[in-house]
């Protein structure tokens, strides 16, 4: 069985570092000193090496202990952030929004702010995922609103709408140049992905050979590969260029991608109306009327 770093034990070793010793750490955590010591021993057993050594009447972290304290801080921050996003410990009623990663940094804050105004006292949370999984979550009732791209999903009248479109732009590292006598290298999200399909089809329709040189499960991986000069990426965006990338003007333009909104059955009618209103400020018109 692989080693496990217990969250409670990690809190204890961070408290020892922050409070300057086991006695003060125990007081801060409202535990006995023996319990804190036991937590540290548990971590030593998990990592297989000493973390604290006696230095006279005081205790000092070993180099491995210092390293573990740094890792513990990162683990606890991620753990506590996850609980906050899930609303654990928050007694308020919540609305859960879902969005694809594409342009989420522009879409989600606007919608969340608007919903907090319309539904005061309700916690608004979010989830990033693939379009198909977002729609499945709406069907199960675990997601109140999905913002997704791709093919529209059939839904009863009043529960779904085409809200507008997101511009698509080719981006690459500064100084990147399109190969003269070789296929255009693309970095993309792994299949199935609507924007991946659009990138390949657009280049093919324009007689430009292309090859996928890199795939990633998430948008961050695609952007990092493009920053590294591995290839060009088609990115949905409504604001400034992603950090470390610039637009490629010598590739064919790609029409904007439609964004759809869908709410779960039984939701407050103001939910869809408010989200559409918030997004109307940033989405572009793709030439087709919005439809429910």
């Amino acid at each position: 069985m692989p080693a496990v770093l217990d969250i409670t034990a990690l809190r204890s070793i961070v408290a020892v570092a922050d409070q300057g010793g086991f006695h003060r750490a125990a007081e801060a955590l409202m535990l006995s000193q023996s319990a804190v010591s036991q937590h540290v021993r548990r971590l030593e057993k998990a990592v297989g090496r000493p973390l604290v050594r006696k230095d006279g009447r005081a205790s000092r972290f070993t180099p491995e202990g210092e390293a573990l304290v740094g890792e513990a801080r990162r683990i606890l921050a991620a753990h506590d952030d996850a609980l906050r996003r899930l609303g654990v410990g928050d007694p308020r009623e919540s609305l859960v929004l879902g969005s694809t990663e594409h342009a989420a940094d522009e879409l989600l804050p606007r919608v969340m702010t608007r919903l907090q105004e319309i539904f005061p006292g309700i916690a608004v949370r979010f989830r990033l995922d693939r379009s198909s999984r977002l729609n499945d979550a709406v069907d199960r009732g675990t997601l109140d609103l999905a913002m997704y791209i791709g093919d529209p999903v059939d839904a009863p009248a009043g529960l779904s709408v085409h809200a507008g479109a997101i511009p698509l732009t080719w981006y690459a590292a500064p100084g990147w140049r399109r190969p003269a006598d070789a296929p255009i290298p693309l970095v993309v999200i792994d299949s199935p992905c609507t924007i991946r399909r659009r990138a390949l089809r657009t280049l093919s329709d324009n007689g430009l050979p292309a090859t996928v040189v890199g795939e990633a499960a998430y948008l961050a991986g695609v952007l990092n590969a493009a920053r590294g000069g591995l290839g060009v990426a088609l990115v949905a965006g409504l604001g400034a260029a992603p950090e470390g990338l610039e637009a490629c003007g010598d590739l064919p333009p790609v029409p904007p991608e439609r964004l759809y909104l869908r709410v779960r059955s039984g939701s407050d009618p103001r939910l869809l109306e408010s989200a559409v209103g918030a997004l109307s400020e940033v989405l572009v018109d793709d030439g087709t009327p919005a439809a429910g």
Side-chain angles (χ1 to χ4, degrees):
M1 181 177 178
V4 175
L5 297 176
D6 180 78
I7 291 293
T8 301
L10 292 176
R11 292 198 192 282
S12 287
I13 199 168
V14 168
V16 171
D18 290 344
Q19 301 298 324
F22 284 75
H23 179 69
R24 290 178 179 175
E27 290 182 340
L29 295 171
M30 292 185 289
L31 296 173
S32 67
Q33 187 170 331
S34 62
V36 174
S37 298
Q38 184 179 7
H39 292 165
V40 174
R41 288 196 296 271
R42 188 186 306 165
L43 293 173
E44 289 180 327
K45 183 177 180 180
V47 301
R49 62 200 71 177
L51 302 174
V52 177
R53 292 193 189 279
K54 282 289 186 181
D55 183 7
R57 300 182 62 182
S59 297
R60 305 286 183 191
F61 284 113
T62 64
E64 293 83 0
E66 293 282 2
L68 182 60
V69 169
E71 296 295 339
R73 294 189 194 280
R74 286 187 281 273
I75 292 169
L76 292 172
H79 174 272
D80 295 346
D81 283 345
L83 291 180
R84 281 191 289 271
R85 288 194 297 272
L86 292 169
V88 176
D90 191 335
R92 295 178 296 171
E93 183 182 351
S94 64
L95 285 171
V96 185
L97 317 182
S99 173
T100 61
E101 284 189 284
H102 306 290
D105 54 342
E106 291 286 339
L107 303 179
L108 275 172
R110 293 175 182 273
V111 176
M112 293 179 73
T113 298
R114 181 66 60 88
L115 294 182
Q116 286 165 343
E117 295 171 353
I118 300 298
F119 302 98
I122 290 182
V124 182
R125 315 188 195 287
F126 71 89
R127 166 183 168 185
L128 298 178
D129 212 332
R130 296 290 183 92
S131 294
S132 60
R133 290 197 285 261
L134 293 176
N135 277 293
D136 288 343
V138 172
D139 290 335
R140 294 193 304 270
T142 58
L143 201 64
D144 294 292
L145 169 71
M147 299 182 283
Y148 68 97
I149 60 177
D151 297 329
V153 174
D154 288 336
L159 297 182
S160 179
V161 67
H162 159 223
I166 301 171
L168 301 178
T169 304
W170 299 103
Y171 287 107
W176 183 87
R177 293 292 178 265
R178 170 178 153 189
D181 301 311
I184 296 171
L186 297 180
V187 288
V188 295
I189 287 180
D190 54 18
S191 294
C193 173
T194 298
I195 293 181
R196 172 194 180 120
R197 292 196 301 269
R198 293 286 297 278
L200 290 166
R201 178 173 296 178
T202 297
L203 295 176
S204 176
D205 289 348
N206 284 272
L208 297 172
T211 182
V212 173
V213 298
E215 299 178 274
Y218 302 99
L219 181 60
V222 170
L223 298 179
N224 284 334
R227 289 187 190 104
L230 300 182
V232 64
L234 183 63
V235 176
L238 295 161
E243 183 179 357
L245 296 174
E246 60 183 24
C248 301
D250 60 345
L251 293 178
V254 185
E257 182 65 41
R258 292 183 183 180
L259 180 76
Y260 298 93
L261 305 187
R262 182 182 172 213
V263 294
R264 64 171 177 78
S265 178
S267 62
D268 189 315
R270 294 177 297 168
L271 177 58
L272 185 59
E273 177 185 337
S274 301
V276 171
L279 296 178
S280 66
E281 303 168 0
V282 291
L283 295 178
V284 300
D285 184 359
D286 65 349
T288 60

